[in-house]
Amino acid sequence: MRKFSLDALARRHLEQAAGAASGRSAETVYGGHERTLRQTLIALTAGSALGDHPNPGDATVAVLRGRVELTTEADSWEGRTGDMLIVPEEKHGLRALEDSVVLLSVAKT
């Protein structure tokens, strides 16, 4: 078994995101190409985004810190600390409304 602090990872990745030109930093904390489930911690500075991309499978975004907006061509949803957003089964993007950290969980189909 492996145990780690999501809080500590969130702090570290927010610091790294602040120093990155993209305003982003990420780390896969569980899974990967060899597993069905992949969980990735993503830190975004205010105003930075993950551009529109296709849905990779069943996915959720748990907001660990901050405030984000999940968007599709036709709709948008705001998530705040403690919220979980269900990723729509269509092209979507994610934008940080303030410095934020999310945990993206994807079960690849």
Side-chain angles (χ1 to χ4, degrees):
M1 183 176 123
R2 192 173 137 211
K3 177 184 169 186
F4 50 87
S5 168
L6 287 175
D7 235 14
L9 281 173
R11 278 192 306 274
R12 187 179 82 205
H13 281 281
L14 268 178
E15 289 173 5
Q16 291 175 353
S22 66
R24 303 183 308 224
S25 180
E27 177 180 343
T28 298
V29 295
Y30 178 80
H33 297 292
E34 68 283 352
R35 299 199 182 257
T36 301
L37 176 63
R38 178 185 295 174
Q39 293 182 295
T40 305
L41 184 130
I42 305 168
L44 303 157
T45 57
S48 62
L50 299 174
D52 286 348
H53 54 280
N55 183 316
D58 290 336
T60 61
V61 173
V63 184
L64 302 179
R65 289 187 182 184
R67 194 164 55 101
V68 298
E69 181 181 41
L70 180 66
T71 60
T72 65
E73 189 174 293
D75 216 341
S76 68
W77 303 267
E78 188 175 305
R80 299 172 182 268
T81 301
D83 288 347
M84 179 175 284
L85 302 169
I86 309 301
V87 178
E89 294 186 20
E90 60 188 286
K91 193 178 210 182
H92 61 278
L94 184 72
R95 183 172 61 95
L97 302 174
E98 58 189 49
D99 288 355
S100 302
V101 179
V102 301
L103 183 65
L104 170 65
S105 297
V106 177
K108 296 177 284 185
T109 53

